[in-house]
Amino acid sequence: MSEANSLISHLIELRSRILKALLSVLIVFLCLAYFAQDLYQWLAKPLLDALPDNSSMIATDVASPFFAPFKLTLVLSFFIAIPYVLYQVWAFVAPGLYRNEKRLVAPLLFSSTLLFYTGMAFAYFVVFPLAFAFFTSVAPAGVTVATDISSYLNFVLKLFFAFGVSFEIPIAIILMCWTGVTDAKSLRAKRPYVVVGAFIIGMLLTPPDVISQTLLAVPMWILFEVGVIIGGLYANRNDDEAEDDASRPTV
């Protein structure tokens, strides 16, 4: 009976954490809904700056001018609320973690959020201007570039997600080294395969142009090297702590 009560209490807490996370997204959305049109204009700026003087964005669907900005606002609300959502995840799993695990998980949650935001910022400020300038410059003669607002939104959200997730590579490597799945030495030996894999992933996740693929693949490779270095340092520290614990006299 106690196990059943424990399971029910965990399910109730899980429901509470999920509701709080969803409520945080809703609150942010309500705060941003008034600025939905301005947010979309800000998102479209890299493309608008690259379009020829006689071109503009278009809406091929009747409801697109209304729904596209609000779709952007909803996704942006989730991105903004990610720290609080991750805190709810942390608060739910923390009671079941050991003290050394808590020391690792808390910084990783903060770092993963920061890296995700960094990946999105890199896509907006670096990748978008270069990629859109390339796309508009290769249009055949006589073809007017006029992008649909819904298609553009889906395109940039895909890139935001791709770069945000790709910038999480150091976190994934640290976790693998911490759990013993692999170690820094083995990862260094696989470096050539990682470089090739980064360019393949860049090819799959980005538009079919060399600029976008390279701008995703190169940061992935650099972040892999950073993750290997940090993962190696953390693994060495864990080994030293284990040796110290083993050398302590038992009472």
Side-chain angles (χ1 to χ4, degrees):
M1 188 67 179
S2 60
E3 293 181 359
N5 292 335
S6 177
L7 177 60
I8 293 174
S9 64
H10 279 81
L11 292 176
I12 293 175
E13 182 181 2
L14 177 61
R15 183 188 64 177
S16 175
R17 298 295 180 184
I18 293 175
L19 290 177
K20 289 179 180 179
L22 294 176
L23 182 61
S24 67
V25 176
L26 177 61
I27 292 175
V28 176
F29 175 78
L30 293 176
C31 294
L32 296 179
Y34 179 79
F35 307 99
Q37 300 292 337
D38 296 329
L39 291 173
Y40 192 93
Q41 185 176 5
W42 173 79
L43 182 70
K45 188 177 184 303
L47 177 61
L48 294 175
D49 291 342
L51 288 176
D53 294 336
N54 60 340
S55 298
S56 63
M57 300 184 71
I58 61 174
T60 57
D61 186 80
V62 176
S64 293
F66 176 79
F67 284 111
F70 278 95
K71 179 181 178 181
L72 168 64
T73 305
L74 181 61
V75 176
L76 184 61
S77 300
F78 174 74
F79 287 158
I80 293 175
I82 279 181
Y84 186 77
V85 173
L86 291 179
Y87 168 76
Q88 295 301 321
V89 175
W90 160 253
F92 180 74
V93 303
L97 299 177
Y98 294 107
R99 185 170 57 183
N100 62 327
E101 293 174 338
K102 292 180 180 179
R103 289 202 304 265
L104 174 68
V105 173
L108 285 184
L109 288 177
F110 174 79
S111 301
S112 61
T113 304
L114 182 61
L115 286 172
F116 190 85
Y117 287 156
T118 304
M120 293 178 58
F122 181 82
Y124 181 83
F125 291 105
V126 178
V127 178
F128 288 178
L130 295 176
F132 296 150
F134 172 79
F135 291 150
T136 55
S137 65
V138 297
V143 175
T144 301
V145 180
T147 304
D148 176 65
I149 60 175
S150 296
S151 299
Y152 174 77
L153 177 60
N154 295 332
F155 176 81
V156 296
L157 289 180
K158 177 183 176 182
L159 285 183
F160 275 146
F161 183 77
F163 277 86
V165 172
S166 298
F167 272 57
E168 302 290 337
I169 289 177
I171 305 300
I173 293 177
I174 293 172
L175 288 175
M176 287 191 296
C177 293
W178 174 57
T179 56
V181 174
T182 186
D183 54 42
K185 183 178 180 181
S186 300
L187 291 173
R188 292 190 187 100
K190 296 179 176 64
R191 182 179 286 116
Y193 304 100
V194 172
V195 175
V196 174
F199 278 91
I200 293 176
I201 294 174
M203 177 184 65
L204 296 175
L205 296 182
T206 59
D209 68 283
V210 177
I211 296 176
S212 300
Q213 295 170 8
T214 303
L215 288 175
L216 178 59
V218 172
M220 288 175 63
W221 174 40
I222 295 174
L223 291 168
F224 166 79
E225 300 293 343
V226 173
V228 169
I229 294 173
I230 298 176
L233 293 175
Y234 187 83
N236 292 335
R237 189 180 69 177
N238 282 349
D239 293 340
D240 294 339
E241 291 178 355
E243 293 177 358
D244 293 341
D245 292 340
S247 63
R248 289 176 183 173
T250 59
V251 179

